[in-house]
């Protein structure tokens, strides 16, 4: 069951990548993803095992492997933190309204199956 859940988490990142790479490029997406991963490590130390670097495209297998070793609550909390960090950083770059239009539909699609971030507009 955990494998199916981690597949869903990775699917969210693939959807986001598919939407953003044409706009900001693979390097831009990788930079935001890696920064979000880094920022999420303080509260989710197991993410330190996920490699971070200029790998293009992003290595989702490492994230999937790290998530698969956690219980559902830990994995959901880590993904939610990463998505929140990503959303916030992207909002700083392209604006909150555009970020909302680009990502909300993706997050809404997956909200029934996985935890998605509750966007805190006070920090964006």
């Amino acid at each position: 069951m955990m494998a199916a859940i981690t597949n869903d988490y990775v699917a969210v990142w693939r959807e986001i990548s598919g939407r953003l790479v044409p706009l900001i490029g693979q390097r831009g997406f990788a930079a935001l993803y890696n920064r979000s991963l880094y920022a999420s490590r303080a509260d989710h130390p197991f993410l330190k095992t996920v490699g971070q670097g200029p790998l293009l495209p992003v290595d989702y297998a490492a994230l999937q492997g790290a998530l698969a070793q956690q219980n559902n609550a830990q994995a959901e909390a880590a993904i939610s933190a990463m998505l929140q960090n990503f959303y916030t950083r992207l909002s700083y770059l392209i604006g909150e309204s555009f970020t909302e239009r680009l990502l909300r539909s993706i997050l809404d699609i997956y909200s029934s199956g996985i935890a998605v971030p509750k966007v805190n507009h006070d920090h964006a």
Side-chain angles (χ1 to χ4, degrees):
M1 178 143 149
M2 191 61 192
I5 292 170
T6 58
N7 287 340
D8 287 346
Y9 294 148
V10 170
V12 171
W13 284 109
R14 290 186 192 283
E15 290 280 334
I16 292 170
S17 172
R19 185 90 37 106
L20 292 178
V21 165
L23 298 172
I24 63 174
Q26 283 193 348
R27 289 185 191 273
F29 176 79
L32 284 171
Y33 174 88
N34 285 332
R35 187 66 189 135
S36 299
L37 174 63
Y38 179 79
S40 301
R41 288 178 172 171
D43 293 328
H44 308 282
F46 74 89
L47 291 174
K48 291 178 182 177
T49 64
V50 178
Q52 183 176 333
L55 299 175
L56 297 175
V58 171
D59 178 17
Y60 299 113
L63 176 62
Q64 191 169 9
L67 292 171
Q69 296 177 20
Q70 309 306 308
N71 66 42
N72 289 355
Q74 291 169 323
E76 286 178 6
I79 285 296
S80 183
M82 285 182 65
L83 289 170
Q84 180 65 57
N85 282 317
F86 188 91
Y87 190 101
T88 299
R89 282 163 177 72
L90 185 62
S91 292
Y92 286 137
L93 291 175
I94 66 172
E96 187 174 345
S97 178
F98 193 36
T99 299
E100 177 77 17
R101 284 185 294 194
L102 285 171
L103 298 185
R104 183 47 46 195
S105 64
I106 292 170
L107 298 178
D108 286 345
I109 289 169
Y110 289 96
S111 66
S112 62
I114 65 170
V116 296
K118 303 297 186 254
V119 178
N120 183 347
H121 296 288
D122 295 335
H123 293 115

Coordinates of all heavy atoms in Angstrom, one line a residue, residues 66-123:
A66 N 12.9 7.3 -0.2 CA 12.9 7.8 1.2 C 11.5 7.8 1.8 O 11.3 7.4 3.0 CB 13.5 9.2 1.2
L67 N 10.5 8.1 1.0 CA 9.1 8.2 1.5 C 8.6 6.8 1.8 O 7.9 6.6 2.8 CB 8.2 8.8 0.4 CG 8.4 10.3 0.2 CD1 7.6 10.7 -1.0 CD2 8.0 11.1 1.4
A68 N 9.0 5.8 1.0 CA 8.5 4.4 1.2 C 9.0 3.8 2.5 O 8.4 2.9 3.0 CB 9.0 3.5 0.0
Q69 N 10.1 4.4 3.1 CA 10.6 3.9 4.4 C 9.9 4.5 5.6 O 10.2 4.2 6.7 CB 12.1 4.1 4.4 CG 12.8 3.4 3.4 CD 14.3 3.7 3.4 OE1 14.9 4.2 4.4 NE2 15.0 3.4 2.3
Q70 N 9.0 5.4 5.3 CA 8.3 6.1 6.4 C 6.9 5.6 6.5 O 6.3 5.0 5.6 CB 8.2 7.7 6.1 CG 9.6 8.3 5.8 CD 10.6 8.0 6.8 OE1 10.4 8.2 8.0 NE2 11.8 7.5 6.4
N71 N 6.2 5.9 7.7 CA 4.8 5.6 7.8 C 4.0 6.6 7.0 O 4.6 7.6 6.6 CB 4.4 5.4 9.2 CG 4.4 6.8 10.0 OD1 4.1 7.8 9.5 ND2 4.9 6.7 11.2
N72 N 2.8 6.3 6.8 CA 1.9 7.2 5.9 C 1.9 8.7 6.5 O 2.0 9.6 5.7 CB 0.5 6.7 5.9 CG 0.4 5.5 5.0 OD1 1.4 5.0 4.4 ND2 -0.8 4.9 5.0
A73 N 1.8 8.8 7.8 CA 1.7 10.2 8.3 C 3.0 11.0 8.1 O 3.0 12.1 7.7 CB 1.4 10.1 9.8
Q74 N 4.1 10.3 8.3 CA 5.4 11.0 8.1 C 5.6 11.3 6.6 O 6.1 12.4 6.3 CB 6.6 10.1 8.5 CG 6.6 9.9 10.0 CD 7.6 8.8 10.4 OE1 7.7 7.8 9.7 NE2 8.3 9.0 11.5
A75 N 5.3 10.4 5.7 CA 5.4 10.7 4.3 C 4.5 11.8 3.8 O 4.9 12.7 3.1 CB 5.1 9.4 3.5
E76 N 3.2 11.8 4.3 CA 2.3 12.9 3.9 C 2.8 14.2 4.5 O 2.7 15.2 3.8 CB 0.9 12.6 4.5 CG 0.2 11.5 3.8 CD -1.2 11.1 4.4 OE1 -1.6 11.8 5.3 OE2 -1.8 10.2 3.9
A77 N 3.3 14.3 5.7 CA 3.7 15.5 6.3 C 4.9 16.1 5.5 O 5.0 17.3 5.2 CB 4.1 15.3 7.7
A78 N 5.8 15.2 5.1 CA 7.0 15.6 4.3 C 6.6 16.2 3.0 O 7.1 17.2 2.5 CB 8.0 14.5 4.2
I79 N 5.7 15.5 2.3 CA 5.3 15.9 0.9 C 4.5 17.2 1.1 O 4.7 18.2 0.3 CB 4.5 14.8 0.2 CG1 5.4 13.7 -0.3 CG2 3.7 15.4 -0.9 CD1 6.4 14.2 -1.3
S80 N 3.7 17.3 2.1 CA 3.0 18.6 2.3 C 3.9 19.7 2.5 O 3.8 20.8 2.0 CB 2.0 18.4 3.4 OG 1.2 19.6 3.6
A81 N 5.0 19.5 3.3 CA 5.9 20.5 3.6 C 6.7 20.9 2.3 O 6.9 22.1 2.0 CB 6.9 20.1 4.7
M82 N 7.1 19.9 1.5 CA 7.8 20.2 0.3 C 6.9 21.0 -0.7 O 7.4 22.0 -1.3 CB 8.3 18.9 -0.4 CG 9.5 18.3 0.3 SD 10.0 16.8 -0.6 CE 10.5 17.5 -2.2
L83 N 5.7 20.6 -0.8 CA 4.8 21.3 -1.7 C 4.5 22.7 -1.2 O 4.5 23.7 -2.0 CB 3.4 20.5 -1.8 CG 3.5 19.2 -2.6 CD1 2.2 18.5 -2.5 CD2 3.8 19.5 -4.1
Q84 N 4.4 22.9 0.1 CA 4.2 24.3 0.6 C 5.4 25.1 0.4 O 5.3 26.3 -0.1 CB 3.9 24.2 2.1 CG 3.6 25.6 2.7 CD 2.4 26.3 2.2 OE1 1.3 25.7 2.3 NE2 2.6 27.4 1.6
N85 N 6.6 24.6 0.6 CA 7.8 25.3 0.4 C 7.9 25.7 -1.1 O 8.3 26.8 -1.5 CB 9.0 24.5 0.8 CG 9.2 24.6 2.3 OD1 9.1 25.7 2.9 ND2 9.5 23.5 2.9
F86 N 7.6 24.7 -2.0 CA 7.7 25.0 -3.4 C 6.7 26.0 -3.9 O 7.1 27.0 -4.6 CB 7.4 23.6 -4.2 CG 7.6 23.7 -5.6 CD1 8.8 23.4 -6.2 CD2 6.6 24.1 -6.5 CE1 9.1 23.4 -7.5 CE2 6.8 24.1 -7.9 CZ 8.1 23.8 -8.4
Y87 N 5.5 25.9 -3.4 CA 4.4 26.9 -3.7 C 4.8 28.3 -3.3 O 4.7 29.3 -4.1 CB 3.1 26.5 -3.1 CG 1.9 27.2 -3.5 CD1 1.1 26.6 -4.5 CD2 1.6 28.5 -3.0 CE1 -0.1 27.3 -4.9 CE2 0.5 29.2 -3.5 CZ -0.4 28.6 -4.4 OH -1.5 29.3 -4.8
T88 N 5.3 28.4 -2.1 CA 5.7 29.7 -1.6 C 6.9 30.3 -2.4 O 6.8 31.5 -2.8 CB 6.2 29.6 -0.1 OG1 5.0 29.1 0.6 CG2 6.6 30.9 0.4
R89 N 7.9 29.5 -2.7 CA 9.0 30.0 -3.5 C 8.6 30.4 -4.9 O 9.0 31.4 -5.5 CB 10.1 29.0 -3.5 CG 10.9 29.0 -2.2 CD 11.7 27.8 -2.0 NE 12.5 27.9 -0.8 CZ 12.0 27.9 0.4 NH1 10.7 27.7 0.6 NH2 12.8 28.0 1.5
L90 N 7.8 29.6 -5.5 CA 7.3 29.9 -6.9 C 6.4 31.2 -6.9 O 6.6 32.0 -7.8 CB 6.5 28.7 -7.4 CG 6.0 28.9 -8.9 CD1 7.2 29.0 -9.8 CD2 5.1 27.7 -9.3
S91 N 5.7 31.4 -5.8 CA 4.9 32.6 -5.7 C 5.7 33.8 -5.6 O 5.4 34.9 -6.2 CB 4.0 32.5 -4.4 OG 3.0 31.6 -4.5
Y92 N 6.9 33.7 -4.9 CA 7.8 34.9 -4.9 C 8.3 35.2 -6.3 O 8.5 36.4 -6.6 CB 9.0 34.6 -4.0 CG 8.7 34.6 -2.5 CD1 9.2 33.6 -1.7 CD2 7.9 35.6 -1.9 CE1 8.9 33.6 -0.3 CE2 7.6 35.6 -0.6 CZ 8.1 34.6 0.2 OH 7.8 34.6 1.6
L93 N 8.5 34.2 -7.1 CA 9.1 34.4 -8.4 C 8.1 34.9 -9.4 O 8.4 35.8 -10.2 CB 9.8 33.1 -8.9 CG 11.0 32.7 -8.2 CD1 11.4 31.3 -8.7 CD2 12.1 33.7 -8.3
I94 N 6.9 34.3 -9.5 CA 6.0 34.6 -10.6 C 4.7 35.2 -10.1 O 3.8 35.5 -10.9 CB 5.7 33.3 -11.4 CG1 4.9 32.3 -10.6 CG2 7.0 32.8 -12.0 CD1 4.5 31.1 -11.5
G95 N 4.6 35.4 -8.8 CA 3.4 36.0 -8.2 C 2.4 34.9 -7.8 O 2.3 33.8 -8.3
E96 N 1.7 35.3 -6.7 CA 0.7 34.3 -6.1 C -0.4 34.0 -7.0 O -0.8 32.8 -7.1 CB 0.2 34.9 -4.8 CG -0.6 33.9 -4.0 CD -1.0 34.4 -2.7 OE1 -0.4 35.4 -2.2 OE2 -1.9 33.9 -2.1
S97 N -1.0 34.9 -7.7 CA -2.1 34.7 -8.6 C -1.8 33.7 -9.7 O -2.5 32.7 -10.0 CB -2.6 36.0 -9.2 OG -3.7 35.7 -10.1
F98 N -0.6 33.9 -10.4 CA -0.2 33.0 -11.4 C 0.2 31.6 -10.9 O -0.2 30.6 -11.5 CB 1.0 33.6 -12.2 CG 1.3 32.9 -13.5 CD1 0.3 32.4 -14.3 CD2 2.6 32.8 -13.9 CE1 0.6 31.8 -15.5 CE2 3.0 32.2 -15.1 CZ 2.0 31.7 -15.9
T99 N 0.8 31.5 -9.7 CA 1.1 30.3 -9.1 C -0.2 29.5 -8.8 O -0.3 28.3 -9.1 CB 1.9 30.5 -7.8 OG1 3.1 31.1 -8.2 CG2 2.2 29.2 -7.1
E100 N -1.1 30.2 -8.3 CA -2.4 29.6 -8.0 C -3.1 29.0 -9.2 O -3.5 27.9 -9.2 CB -3.4 30.6 -7.3 CG -4.8 30.1 -7.0 CD -4.8 29.3 -5.8 OE1 -3.9 29.3 -4.9 OE2 -5.9 28.6 -5.6
R101 N -3.1 29.7 -10.3 CA -3.6 29.3 -11.6 C -2.9 28.1 -12.1 O -3.5 27.1 -12.7 CB -3.7 30.4 -12.6 CG -4.8 31.4 -12.4 CD -4.9 32.3 -13.5 NE -3.6 33.1 -13.4 CZ -3.4 34.2 -14.0 NH1 -4.3 34.7 -14.8 NH2 -2.3 34.9 -13.9
L102 N -1.6 28.1 -12.0 CA -0.8 27.0 -12.5 C -0.9 25.7 -11.7 O -0.9 24.6 -12.2 CB 0.7 27.4 -12.6 CG 1.1 28.3 -13.7 CD1 2.5 28.8 -13.4 CD2 1.0 27.6 -15.0
L103 N -0.9 25.8 -10.4 CA -0.8 24.6 -9.5 C -2.1 24.2 -8.8 O -2.2 23.0 -8.5 CB 0.3 24.9 -8.4 CG 1.7 25.1 -9.0 CD1 2.7 25.2 -7.8 CD2 2.1 24.0 -9.9
R104 N -3.0 25.0 -8.6 CA -4.2 24.6 -7.8 C -4.9 23.4 -8.4 O -5.3 22.5 -7.7 CB -5.1 25.8 -7.6 CG -6.3 25.6 -6.8 CD -6.1 24.8 -5.4 NE -5.0 25.3 -4.6 CZ -4.5 24.6 -3.6 NH1 -5.0 23.5 -3.3 NH2 -3.5 25.1 -2.9
S105 N -5.0 23.4 -9.7 CA -5.8 22.3 -10.4 C -5.1 21.0 -10.1 O -5.7 19.9 -9.9 CB -6.0 22.5 -11.8 OG -4.8 22.6 -12.5
I106 N -3.7 21.0 -10.2 CA -3.0 19.8 -9.9 C -3.2 19.3 -8.5 O -3.4 18.2 -8.2 CB -1.5 20.0 -10.2 CG1 -1.2 20.2 -11.7 CG2 -0.6 18.8 -9.7 CD1 0.2 20.7 -12.0
L107 N -3.0 20.3 -7.5 CA -3.2 19.9 -6.1 C -4.6 19.5 -5.8 O -4.8 18.6 -5.0 CB -2.8 21.1 -5.3 CG -1.3 21.5 -5.4 CD1 -1.0 22.7 -4.5 CD2 -0.4 20.3 -5.1
D108 N -5.6 20.1 -6.5 CA -7.0 19.7 -6.3 C -7.3 18.3 -6.8 O -8.0 17.5 -6.2 CB -8.0 20.6 -6.9 CG -8.1 22.0 -6.2 OD1 -7.6 22.0 -5.0 OD2 -8.6 22.9 -6.8
I109 N -6.7 17.9 -7.9 CA -6.8 16.6 -8.5 C -6.4 15.5 -7.5 O -7.0 14.5 -7.3 CB -6.1 16.4 -9.8 CG1 -6.7 17.2 -10.9 CG2 -5.9 14.9 -10.2 CD1 -5.9 17.4 -12.2
Y110 N -5.3 15.7 -6.8 CA -4.7 14.7 -5.9 C -5.2 14.9 -4.5 O -4.9 14.0 -3.7 CB -3.2 14.8 -6.0 CG -2.6 14.3 -7.3 CD1 -2.3 15.2 -8.3 CD2 -2.5 12.9 -7.5 CE1 -1.9 14.7 -9.6 CE2 -2.1 12.5 -8.7 CZ -1.7 13.3 -9.8 OH -1.3 12.9 -10.9
S111 N -6.0 15.9 -4.2 CA -6.3 16.1 -2.8 C -7.2 15.0 -2.2 O -7.2 14.8 -1.0 CB -7.0 17.5 -2.7 OG -8.3 17.4 -3.3
S112 N -7.9 14.3 -3.1 CA -8.7 13.2 -2.5 C -7.9 12.0 -2.1 O -8.3 11.2 -1.3 CB -9.8 12.8 -3.5 OG -9.2 12.3 -4.7
G113 N -6.7 11.8 -2.7 CA -5.9 10.7 -2.5 C -4.7 10.9 -1.6 O -4.2 10.0 -0.9
I114 N -4.2 12.1 -1.5 CA -3.1 12.4 -0.7 C -3.2 13.8 0.0 O -4.1 14.6 -0.4 CB -1.8 12.4 -1.5 CG1 -1.8 13.5 -2.6 CG2 -1.5 11.1 -2.2 CD1 -0.5 13.8 -3.2
A115 N -2.4 14.0 0.9 CA -2.4 15.3 1.6 C -1.8 16.3 0.7 O -0.7 16.1 0.2 CB -1.7 15.2 2.9
V116 N -2.5 17.4 0.5 CA -1.9 18.5 -0.3 C -1.7 19.7 0.6 O -2.4 19.8 1.6 CB -2.7 18.9 -1.5 CG1 -2.8 17.8 -2.5 CG2 -4.1 19.3 -1.1
P117 N -0.9 20.6 0.3 CA -0.6 21.7 1.3 C -1.8 22.6 1.4 O -2.5 22.9 0.4 CB 0.6 22.5 0.6 CG 0.5 22.2 -0.8 CD -0.1 20.8 -0.9
K118 N -2.0 23.1 2.5 CA -3.0 24.1 2.8 C -2.2 25.4 2.6 O -1.4 25.7 3.5 CB -3.6 24.0 4.2 CG -4.3 22.7 4.4 CD -5.4 22.4 3.5 CE -6.2 21.2 3.9 NZ -5.9 20.1 3.0
V119 N -2.4 26.1 1.6 CA -1.6 27.3 1.3 C -1.9 28.4 2.3 O -3.0 28.8 2.5 CB -1.9 27.8 -0.2 CG1 -1.1 29.0 -0.5 CG2 -1.6 26.7 -1.2
N120 N -0.8 28.9 2.9 CA -0.9 30.0 3.8 C -0.5 31.2 3.1 O 0.7 31.5 2.8 CB 0.1 29.7 5.0 CG 0.0 30.8 6.0 OD1 -0.6 31.8 5.8 ND2 0.6 30.5 7.2
H121 N -1.5 32.0 2.6 CA -1.3 33.1 1.8 C -0.6 34.3 2.6 O -0.1 35.2 2.0 CB -2.6 33.6 1.3 CG -3.2 32.7 0.3 ND1 -2.7 32.4 -0.9 CD2 -4.3 31.8 0.5 CE1 -3.5 31.5 -1.5 NE2 -4.4 31.1 -0.7
D122 N -0.5 34.2 3.9 CA 0.2 35.2 4.7 C 1.7 35.1 4.4 O 2.4 36.1 4.6 CB 0.0 35.0 6.2 CG -1.5 35.2 6.5 OD1 -2.2 36.0 5.8 OD2 -1.9 34.7 7.5
H123 N 2.3 33.9 4.0 CA 3.7 33.8 3.9 C 4.1 33.9 2.4 O 5.3 33.9 2.1 CB 4.2 32.4 4.4 CG 4.0 32.4 5.9 ND1 3.2 31.5 6.6 CD2 4.6 33.1 6.9 CE1 3.3 31.7 7.9 NE2 4.1 32.7 8.1

